Amino acid sequence: MLFLSRQIDLVHVNAAYGQENMDFGNGSFTKRSAWISEDMQTVVSHVLDKQKYDRVFFLGKSLGTVPIICGLLKEARFARSSSILLTPLLTEDVVNTDLLTLTQPIFLVSGTADHYYNQGVVTTPLGRTMRGVVLSFFTEAG
């Protein structure tokens, strides 16, 4: 509601992949990533073709972080964009590699109970080599 109250346009995409589409659910990570990335690129392009914005903000969760990390934030037109990435797929090498190349402000949230949490990413220089990235990791309550 904060965005709306400040007259900031908001586009919400709730993609339910895999539940009714067995091709998606049974596909490899590469195939699923390409599929969702193509769909998100289509939505973003459709919205931005209708209205030009000075700044774009991305928020993604889980598989929805892949097109943001591995595609959208790498584009020159989103050089000034920022994002919040909730429970990104830190177990996927391509996600970690692409995170290292990003320079935009990113707030990344994950936790030890998430099956995509990767302790190796937390203890590597990832956080120190990424400019503008805030890493926030939560430990499982014990």
Side-chain angles (χ1 to χ4, degrees), residues 43-58:
V43 170
V44 169
S45 293
H46 178 76
V47 170
L48 295 181
D49 285 348
K50 293 185 180 293
Q51 173 73 39
K52 299 297 178 203
Y53 295 93
D54 293 330
R55 300 198 68 165
V56 176
F57 177 84
F58 294 103

Side-chain angles (χ1 to χ4, degrees), residues 70-129:
C70 300
L72 295 168
L73 289 179
K74 294 168 120 182
E75 295 181 30
R77 66 182 173 158
F78 299 124
R80 294 184 52 218
S81 297
S82 53
S83 63
I84 295 176
L85 306 174
L86 305 172
T87 62
L89 307 184
L90 298 177
T91 55
E92 297 296 335
D93 290 337
V94 68
V95 172
N96 298 329
T97 301
D98 286 351
L99 269 171
L100 288 171
T101 68
L102 301 177
T103 59
Q104 296 93 332
I106 297 171
F107 184 68
L108 189 150
V109 179
S110 188
T112 58
D114 181 10
H115 61 277
Y116 291 111
Y117 176 81
N118 181 345
Q119 180 64 35
V121 173
V122 178
T123 58
T124 65
L126 178 67
R128 292 189 300 274
T129 59

